[in-house]
Amino acid sequence: MLERKFEIRIPASTANLGPGFDTMGLALGLYLHVRGQIQPAGQPWRLSVGGQHPAGIPLDPADNLICRVARHTAAGAYVNLPSLDLHISNDIPLGSGLGSSAAAIIAGVSLVEAVTGMEFAQPELLRHAMVFENYTDNLAPARYGGWITSCGRAHGAPILFHRTFPTDIHLIIVTPDFALPTEQMRAILPDAIPRAEAIFQMQHVMMFVGALEHHRYELLREAMRDHLHQPYRAPFVPGLAEILELKQDGLWATALSGAGPSALALASHNQERIATAMQQCFAAQGHQSVVYYPRIDTIGRTIRYLRPDEDLRAPTSEAPPRSPRVGQATADRD
């Protein structure tokens, strides 16, 4: 076991990107940090929380997802994981469709790597992580960064493909003031769809990938239409239907981020006005919201070892620029 202090950083992620249900995700420059060190022999686990979104993170290791994943992963890897002193600094809104649970799961697996000095190969890492979340659209970007498409297979770990997301597309995330449990939002989806709908979905996924790779952004509005999950989730996200139909100068397309309730927009310019228009859709339904303008994280999970004198509980926030709540003035972002 390594006695050094360490810091793990995991990005948020937005999944589906419209039609790509359970097939693709994009890492965002909005982070969960976990700093830690091994506790003295005989001492229990110690947890503290901070960051912009600490509420809802349990301080009991038995209930904390990061700790539960770390213990399960250590057992599966035949590692005797000691008690840890951890400070969790979270800037990812919980239950928002921005991959907070995937970030926590990757953090838990990464704790074992940080403490032991090992690094899991991709199939083994996914095996440990998918015990807790059986889809890779958020897990893969949280670990490896960037835009990743994934494909499951009958035997063995899913196959992951790194793709290059265009640098001239800007992301806008609007997060309303309520949360939605991912499992609840998965449970409302139909178990089967007609063949015509399946064909529609495949066509639009392929058009989305092609539009980005060939810089045919004018196709994104059609390409990001979806018949598989957004129509079923929209009634639980007041204002989403209007956001999906929104038209603004500089706006290419909008989508539900993951299972929601955050909404995602892809834009060329005019981000502040687009964000305000999205916020107004939520406000018309009685909900305030916050806007993020995250960059794309191309690195994914990182582990670094700290100097002995570095404070585990020092501020580590790296949140991207975000707007005030709707109704307050902001400068235009062109």
Side-chain angles (χ1 to χ4, degrees), residues 173-178 238 243 261-263 274-284 286-292 322-328 330:
I173 301 285
V174 180
T175 302
D177 58 0
F178 60 94
I243 288 174
S262 294
I274 293 168
T276 297
M278 295 170 70
Q279 287 189 291
Q280 288 171 347
C281 292
F282 284 127
H287 292 286
Q288 291 189 324
S289 58
V290 173
V291 178
Y292 298 90
R322 67 176 190 168
S323 81
R325 292 188 178 272
V326 66
Q328 300 181 19
T330 60

mmCIF file of all heavy atoms in Angstrom, residues 173-178 238 243 261-263 274-284 286-292 322-328 330:
data_model
loop_
_atom_site.group_PDB
_atom_site.id
_atom_site.type_symbol
_atom_site.label_atom_id
_atom_site.label_comp_id
_atom_site.label_asym_id
_atom_site.label_seq_id
_atom_site.Cartn_x
_atom_site.Cartn_y
_atom_site.Cartn_z
ATOM 1 N N ILE A 173 -25.207 23.901 -20.810
ATOM 2 C CA ILE A 173 -25.992 23.018 -19.947
ATOM 3 C C ILE A 173 -26.880 23.880 -19.060
ATOM 4 O O ILE A 173 -26.392 24.789 -18.378
ATOM 5 C CB ILE A 173 -25.085 22.148 -19.052
ATOM 6 C CG1 ILE A 173 -24.148 21.274 -19.880
ATOM 7 C CG2 ILE A 173 -25.930 21.302 -18.095
ATOM 8 C CD1 ILE A 173 -24.802 20.091 -20.538
ATOM 9 N N VAL A 174 -28.176 23.610 -19.059
ATOM 10 C CA VAL A 174 -29.110 24.317 -18.189
ATOM 11 C C VAL A 174 -29.715 23.296 -17.229
ATOM 12 O O VAL A 174 -30.357 22.329 -17.663
ATOM 13 C CB VAL A 174 -30.212 25.028 -18.992
ATOM 14 C CG1 VAL A 174 -31.168 25.756 -18.051
ATOM 15 C CG2 VAL A 174 -29.594 26.022 -19.978
ATOM 16 N N THR A 175 -29.504 23.515 -15.945
ATOM 17 C CA THR A 175 -29.936 22.573 -14.911
ATOM 18 C C THR A 175 -31.036 23.205 -14.068
ATOM 19 O O THR A 175 -30.779 24.200 -13.365
ATOM 20 C CB THR A 175 -28.754 22.175 -14.014
ATOM 21 O OG1 THR A 175 -27.723 21.596 -14.822
ATOM 22 C CG2 THR A 175 -29.187 21.180 -12.955
ATOM 23 N N PRO A 176 -32.254 22.668 -14.121
ATOM 24 C CA PRO A 176 -33.340 23.239 -13.317
ATOM 25 C C PRO A 176 -33.217 22.844 -11.856
ATOM 26 O O PRO A 176 -32.380 22.003 -11.479
ATOM 27 C CB PRO A 176 -34.591 22.625 -13.959
ATOM 28 C CG PRO A 176 -34.117 21.329 -14.515
ATOM 29 C CD PRO A 176 -32.704 21.545 -14.955
ATOM 30 N N ASP A 177 -34.087 23.427 -11.033
ATOM 31 C CA ASP A 177 -33.973 23.301 -9.581
ATOM 32 C C ASP A 177 -34.685 22.072 -9.018
ATOM 33 O O ASP A 177 -35.258 22.120 -7.922
ATOM 34 C CB ASP A 177 -34.505 24.573 -8.912
ATOM 35 C CG ASP A 177 -35.963 24.864 -9.286
ATOM 36 O OD1 ASP A 177 -36.559 24.079 -10.055
ATOM 37 O OD2 ASP A 177 -36.504 25.895 -8.826
ATOM 38 N N PHE A 178 -34.657 20.974 -9.734
ATOM 39 C CA PHE A 178 -35.186 19.713 -9.199
ATOM 40 C C PHE A 178 -34.338 18.570 -9.744
ATOM 41 O O PHE A 178 -33.651 18.713 -10.753
ATOM 42 C CB PHE A 178 -36.666 19.522 -9.541
ATOM 43 C CG PHE A 178 -36.962 19.479 -11.026
ATOM 44 C CD1 PHE A 178 -37.022 18.269 -11.714
ATOM 45 C CD2 PHE A 178 -37.188 20.658 -11.732
ATOM 46 C CE1 PHE A 178 -37.301 18.238 -13.071
ATOM 47 C CE2 PHE A 178 -37.465 20.636 -13.100
ATOM 48 C CZ PHE A 178 -37.528 19.423 -13.766
ATOM 49 N N PRO A 238 -40.723 19.556 -16.894
ATOM 50 C CA PRO A 238 -41.517 20.683 -17.408
ATOM 51 C C PRO A 238 -40.627 21.733 -18.072
ATOM 52 O O PRO A 238 -39.674 22.216 -17.471
ATOM 53 C CB PRO A 238 -42.193 21.237 -16.148
ATOM 54 C CG PRO A 238 -42.159 20.117 -15.163
ATOM 55 C CD PRO A 238 -40.916 19.346 -15.456
ATOM 56 N N ILE A 243 -37.894 23.462 -24.964
ATOM 57 C CA ILE A 243 -36.455 23.565 -25.217
ATOM 58 C C ILE A 243 -36.071 22.762 -26.452
ATOM 59 O O ILE A 243 -35.244 23.194 -27.268
ATOM 60 C CB ILE A 243 -35.657 23.099 -23.982
ATOM 61 C CG1 ILE A 243 -35.783 24.144 -22.867
ATOM 62 C CG2 ILE A 243 -34.186 22.848 -24.329
ATOM 63 C CD1 ILE A 243 -35.160 23.721 -21.557
ATOM 64 N N PRO A 261 -32.768 16.097 -15.195
ATOM 65 C CA PRO A 261 -33.555 17.063 -15.958
ATOM 66 C C PRO A 261 -32.748 18.133 -16.700
ATOM 67 O O PRO A 261 -33.331 19.021 -17.311
ATOM 68 C CB PRO A 261 -34.405 17.714 -14.876
ATOM 69 C CG PRO A 261 -33.505 17.735 -13.683
ATOM 70 C CD PRO A 261 -32.730 16.447 -13.752
ATOM 71 N N SER A 262 -31.398 18.083 -16.626
ATOM 72 C CA SER A 262 -30.612 19.094 -17.340
ATOM 73 C C SER A 262 -30.860 19.004 -18.836
ATOM 74 O O SER A 262 -31.098 17.919 -19.380
ATOM 75 C CB SER A 262 -29.125 18.910 -17.057
ATOM 76 O OG SER A 262 -28.816 19.167 -15.707
ATOM 77 N N ALA A 263 -30.771 20.149 -19.496
ATOM 78 C CA ALA A 263 -30.895 20.214 -20.948
ATOM 79 C C ALA A 263 -29.560 20.652 -21.531
ATOM 80 O O ALA A 263 -28.837 21.466 -20.947
ATOM 81 C CB ALA A 263 -31.994 21.184 -21.359
ATOM 82 N N ILE A 274 -28.909 32.099 -25.940
ATOM 83 C CA ILE A 274 -29.488 30.752 -26.036
ATOM 84 C C ILE A 274 -29.788 30.219 -24.641
ATOM 85 O O ILE A 274 -30.869 29.678 -24.381
ATOM 86 C CB ILE A 274 -28.540 29.810 -26.795
ATOM 87 C CG1 ILE A 274 -28.422 30.246 -28.258
ATOM 88 C CG2 ILE A 274 -29.016 28.359 -26.695
ATOM 89 C CD1 ILE A 274 -27.295 29.560 -29.014
ATOM 90 N N ALA A 275 -28.832 30.371 -23.733
ATOM 91 C CA ALA A 275 -29.028 29.897 -22.365
ATOM 92 C C ALA A 275 -30.217 30.592 -21.707
ATOM 93 O O ALA A 275 -31.025 29.945 -21.028
ATOM 94 C CB ALA A 275 -27.755 30.135 -21.547
ATOM 95 N N THR A 276 -30.337 31.901 -21.912
ATOM 96 C CA THR A 276 -31.465 32.631 -21.328
ATOM 97 C C THR A 276 -32.795 32.116 -21.872
ATOM 98 O O THR A 276 -33.768 31.950 -21.129
ATOM 99 C CB THR A 276 -31.321 34.133 -21.612
ATOM 100 O OG1 THR A 276 -30.129 34.615 -20.982
ATOM 101 C CG2 THR A 276 -32.516 34.905 -21.086
ATOM 102 N N ALA A 277 -32.833 31.838 -23.169
ATOM 103 C CA ALA A 277 -34.064 31.304 -23.760
ATOM 104 C C ALA A 277 -34.410 29.940 -23.168
ATOM 105 O O ALA A 277 -35.584 29.638 -22.919
ATOM 106 C CB ALA A 277 -33.914 31.204 -25.275
ATOM 107 N N MET A 278 -33.395 29.108 -22.927
ATOM 108 C CA MET A 278 -33.643 27.804 -22.311
ATOM 109 C C MET A 278 -34.136 27.970 -20.884
ATOM 110 O O MET A 278 -35.076 27.292 -20.453
ATOM 111 C CB MET A 278 -32.361 26.971 -22.351
ATOM 112 C CG MET A 278 -31.901 26.611 -23.769
ATOM 113 S SD MET A 278 -30.243 25.866 -23.826
ATOM 114 C CE MET A 278 -30.549 24.265 -23.060
ATOM 115 N N GLN A 279 -33.512 28.889 -20.157
ATOM 116 C CA GLN A 279 -33.958 29.141 -18.787
ATOM 117 C C GLN A 279 -35.404 29.627 -18.750
ATOM 118 O O GLN A 279 -36.170 29.265 -17.847
ATOM 119 C CB GLN A 279 -33.046 30.175 -18.129
ATOM 120 C CG GLN A 279 -31.669 29.650 -17.761
ATOM 121 C CD GLN A 279 -30.917 30.661 -16.927
ATOM 122 O OE1 GLN A 279 -30.539 31.719 -17.424
ATOM 123 N NE2 GLN A 279 -30.707 30.350 -15.659
ATOM 124 N N GLN A 280 -35.769 30.436 -19.714
ATOM 125 C CA GLN A 280 -37.139 30.943 -19.746
ATOM 126 C C GLN A 280 -38.156 29.835 -19.962
ATOM 127 O O GLN A 280 -39.285 29.914 -19.475
ATOM 128 C CB GLN A 280 -37.252 32.017 -20.832
ATOM 129 C CG GLN A 280 -36.548 33.317 -20.464
ATOM 130 C CD GLN A 280 -36.455 34.308 -21.600
ATOM 131 O OE1 GLN A 280 -36.698 33.956 -22.768
ATOM 132 N NE2 GLN A 280 -36.106 35.545 -21.295
ATOM 133 N N CYS A 281 -37.751 28.786 -20.672
ATOM 134 C CA CYS A 281 -38.656 27.637 -20.849
ATOM 135 C C CYS A 281 -38.919 26.955 -19.508
ATOM 136 O O CYS A 281 -40.051 26.549 -19.222
ATOM 137 C CB CYS A 281 -38.064 26.652 -21.845
ATOM 138 S SG CYS A 281 -37.975 27.257 -23.543
ATOM 139 N N PHE A 282 -37.869 26.812 -18.691
ATOM 140 C CA PHE A 282 -38.063 26.251 -17.355
ATOM 141 C C PHE A 282 -38.846 27.221 -16.468
ATOM 142 O O PHE A 282 -39.724 26.810 -15.700
ATOM 143 C CB PHE A 282 -36.719 25.918 -16.711
ATOM 144 C CG PHE A 282 -36.058 24.668 -17.227
ATOM 145 C CD1 PHE A 282 -34.749 24.694 -17.689
ATOM 146 C CD2 PHE A 282 -36.733 23.459 -17.239
ATOM 147 C CE1 PHE A 282 -34.132 23.546 -18.150
ATOM 148 C CE2 PHE A 282 -36.129 22.297 -17.707
ATOM 149 C CZ PHE A 282 -34.826 22.338 -18.171
ATOM 150 N N ALA A 283 -38.512 28.516 -16.567
ATOM 151 C CA ALA A 283 -39.174 29.514 -15.717
ATOM 152 C C ALA A 283 -40.671 29.585 -15.992
ATOM 153 O O ALA A 283 -41.468 29.804 -15.072
ATOM 154 C CB ALA A 283 -38.529 30.882 -15.936
ATOM 155 N N ALA A 284 -41.060 29.384 -17.244
ATOM 156 C CA ALA A 284 -42.480 29.410 -17.589
ATOM 157 C C ALA A 284 -43.248 28.290 -16.905
ATOM 158 O O ALA A 284 -44.470 28.357 -16.766
ATOM 159 C CB ALA A 284 -42.647 29.314 -19.107
ATOM 160 N N GLY A 286 -42.371 27.367 -13.818
ATOM 161 C CA GLY A 286 -42.206 27.592 -12.386
ATOM 162 C C GLY A 286 -40.896 27.125 -11.807
ATOM 163 O O GLY A 286 -40.779 26.980 -10.581
ATOM 164 N N HIS A 287 -39.874 26.900 -12.648
ATOM 165 C CA HIS A 287 -38.600 26.381 -12.149
ATOM 166 C C HIS A 287 -37.444 27.315 -12.486
ATOM 167 O O HIS A 287 -37.269 27.712 -13.643
ATOM 168 C CB HIS A 287 -38.310 25.000 -12.743
ATOM 169 C CG HIS A 287 -39.252 23.944 -12.267
ATOM 170 N ND1 HIS A 287 -39.180 23.409 -10.994
ATOM 171 C CD2 HIS A 287 -40.316 23.353 -12.877
ATOM 172 C CE1 HIS A 287 -40.147 22.503 -10.851
ATOM 173 N NE2 HIS A 287 -40.858 22.457 -11.971
ATOM 174 N N GLN A 288 -36.670 27.643 -11.471
ATOM 175 C CA GLN A 288 -35.418 28.350 -11.689
ATOM 176 C C GLN A 288 -34.378 27.371 -12.221
ATOM 177 O O GLN A 288 -34.541 26.150 -12.135
ATOM 178 C CB GLN A 288 -34.932 28.992 -10.397
ATOM 179 C CG GLN A 288 -35.792 30.155 -9.911
ATOM 180 C CD GLN A 288 -35.145 30.883 -8.752
ATOM 181 O OE1 GLN A 288 -34.504 30.279 -7.911
ATOM 182 N NE2 GLN A 288 -35.320 32.192 -8.713
ATOM 183 N N SER A 289 -33.288 27.906 -12.747
ATOM 184 C CA SER A 289 -32.257 27.042 -13.318
ATOM 185 C C SER A 289 -30.915 27.738 -13.295
ATOM 186 O O SER A 289 -30.834 28.962 -13.136
ATOM 187 C CB SER A 289 -32.616 26.645 -14.749
ATOM 188 O OG SER A 289 -32.777 27.795 -15.563
ATOM 189 N N VAL A 290 -29.871 26.959 -13.436
ATOM 190 C CA VAL A 290 -28.503 27.457 -13.486
ATOM 191 C C VAL A 290 -27.887 27.007 -14.796
ATOM 192 O O VAL A 290 -28.153 25.890 -15.279
ATOM 193 C CB VAL A 290 -27.674 26.926 -12.295
ATOM 194 C CG1 VAL A 290 -26.204 27.293 -12.439
ATOM 195 C CG2 VAL A 290 -28.224 27.491 -10.988
ATOM 196 N N VAL A 291 -27.053 27.853 -15.385
ATOM 197 C CA VAL A 291 -26.416 27.556 -16.663
ATOM 198 C C VAL A 291 -24.938 27.288 -16.459
ATOM 199 O O VAL A 291 -24.259 28.007 -15.710
ATOM 200 C CB VAL A 291 -26.577 28.728 -17.648
ATOM 201 C CG1 VAL A 291 -25.859 28.436 -18.965
ATOM 202 C CG2 VAL A 291 -28.045 29.007 -17.901
ATOM 203 N N TYR A 292 -24.426 26.254 -17.125
ATOM 204 C CA TYR A 292 -22.999 25.957 -17.170
ATOM 205 C C TYR A 292 -22.532 26.045 -18.622
ATOM 206 O O TYR A 292 -23.262 25.674 -19.549
ATOM 207 C CB TYR A 292 -22.711 24.549 -16.639
ATOM 208 C CG TYR A 292 -23.105 24.341 -15.198
ATOM 209 C CD1 TYR A 292 -24.379 23.878 -14.866
ATOM 210 C CD2 TYR A 292 -22.209 24.607 -14.168
ATOM 211 C CE1 TYR A 292 -24.746 23.688 -13.543
ATOM 212 C CE2 TYR A 292 -22.578 24.411 -12.840
ATOM 213 C CZ TYR A 292 -23.837 23.951 -12.542
ATOM 214 O OH TYR A 292 -24.208 23.767 -11.230
ATOM 215 N N ARG A 322 -20.607 29.751 -14.939
ATOM 216 C CA ARG A 322 -22.040 29.481 -14.952
ATOM 217 C C ARG A 322 -22.777 30.777 -14.704
ATOM 218 O O ARG A 322 -22.241 31.725 -14.132
ATOM 219 C CB ARG A 322 -22.423 28.422 -13.914
ATOM 220 C CG ARG A 322 -22.250 28.844 -12.469
ATOM 221 C CD ARG A 322 -22.747 27.733 -11.561
ATOM 222 N NE ARG A 322 -22.832 28.168 -10.180
ATOM 223 C CZ ARG A 322 -23.437 27.483 -9.234
ATOM 224 N NH1 ARG A 322 -24.018 26.341 -9.513
ATOM 225 N NH2 ARG A 322 -23.482 27.919 -8.000
ATOM 226 N N SER A 323 -24.014 30.805 -15.118
ATOM 227 C CA SER A 323 -24.792 32.043 -15.022
ATOM 228 C C SER A 323 -25.458 32.149 -13.669
ATOM 229 O O SER A 323 -25.610 31.164 -12.947
ATOM 230 C CB SER A 323 -25.875 32.045 -16.094
ATOM 231 O OG SER A 323 -26.974 31.273 -15.655
ATOM 232 N N PRO A 324 -25.899 33.343 -13.303
ATOM 233 C CA PRO A 324 -26.825 33.461 -12.169
ATOM 234 C C PRO A 324 -28.136 32.753 -12.511
ATOM 235 O O PRO A 324 -28.360 32.345 -13.649
ATOM 236 C CB PRO A 324 -27.036 34.973 -12.041
ATOM 237 C CG PRO A 324 -25.899 35.596 -12.779
ATOM 238 C CD PRO A 324 -25.560 34.630 -13.876
ATOM 239 N N ARG A 325 -28.994 32.665 -11.529
ATOM 240 C CA ARG A 325 -30.299 32.062 -11.792
ATOM 241 C C ARG A 325 -31.099 32.956 -12.723
ATOM 242 O O ARG A 325 -30.846 34.137 -12.840
ATOM 243 C CB ARG A 325 -31.052 31.810 -10.479
ATOM 244 C CG ARG A 325 -30.391 30.734 -9.654
ATOM 245 C CD ARG A 325 -31.225 30.340 -8.449
ATOM 246 N NE ARG A 325 -30.563 29.260 -7.726
ATOM 247 C CZ ARG A 325 -30.730 27.981 -7.984
ATOM 248 N NH1 ARG A 325 -31.542 27.611 -8.954
ATOM 249 N NH2 ARG A 325 -30.106 27.062 -7.292
ATOM 250 N N VAL A 326 -32.064 32.361 -13.402
ATOM 251 C CA VAL A 326 -32.849 33.090 -14.389
ATOM 252 C C VAL A 326 -33.446 34.348 -13.771
ATOM 253 O O VAL A 326 -33.841 34.369 -12.606
ATOM 254 C CB VAL A 326 -33.951 32.191 -14.971
ATOM 255 C CG1 VAL A 326 -34.976 31.832 -13.930
ATOM 256 C CG2 VAL A 326 -34.605 32.849 -16.168
ATOM 257 N N GLY A 327 -33.463 35.410 -14.583
ATOM 258 C CA GLY A 327 -34.013 36.668 -14.102
ATOM 259 C C GLY A 327 -32.947 37.685 -13.752
ATOM 260 O O GLY A 327 -33.242 38.870 -13.633
ATOM 261 N N GLN A 328 -31.656 37.227 -13.596
ATOM 262 C CA GLN A 328 -30.586 38.140 -13.333
ATOM 263 C C GLN A 328 -29.815 38.404 -14.621
ATOM 264 O O GLN A 328 -29.655 37.507 -15.450
ATOM 265 C CB GLN A 328 -29.642 37.570 -12.261
ATOM 266 C CG GLN A 328 -30.353 37.314 -10.936
ATOM 267 C CD GLN A 328 -29.393 36.773 -9.900
ATOM 268 O OE1 GLN A 328 -28.200 36.900 -10.033
ATOM 269 N NE2 GLN A 328 -29.931 36.158 -8.867
ATOM 270 N N THR A 330 -26.952 38.943 -17.421
ATOM 271 C CA THR A 330 -25.623 38.419 -17.718
ATOM 272 C C THR A 330 -25.130 39.076 -18.997
ATOM 273 O O THR A 330 -25.894 39.555 -19.806
ATOM 274 C CB THR A 330 -25.664 36.889 -17.957
ATOM 275 O OG1 THR A 330 -26.534 36.616 -19.058
ATOM 276 C CG2 THR A 330 -26.165 36.152 -16.729
#
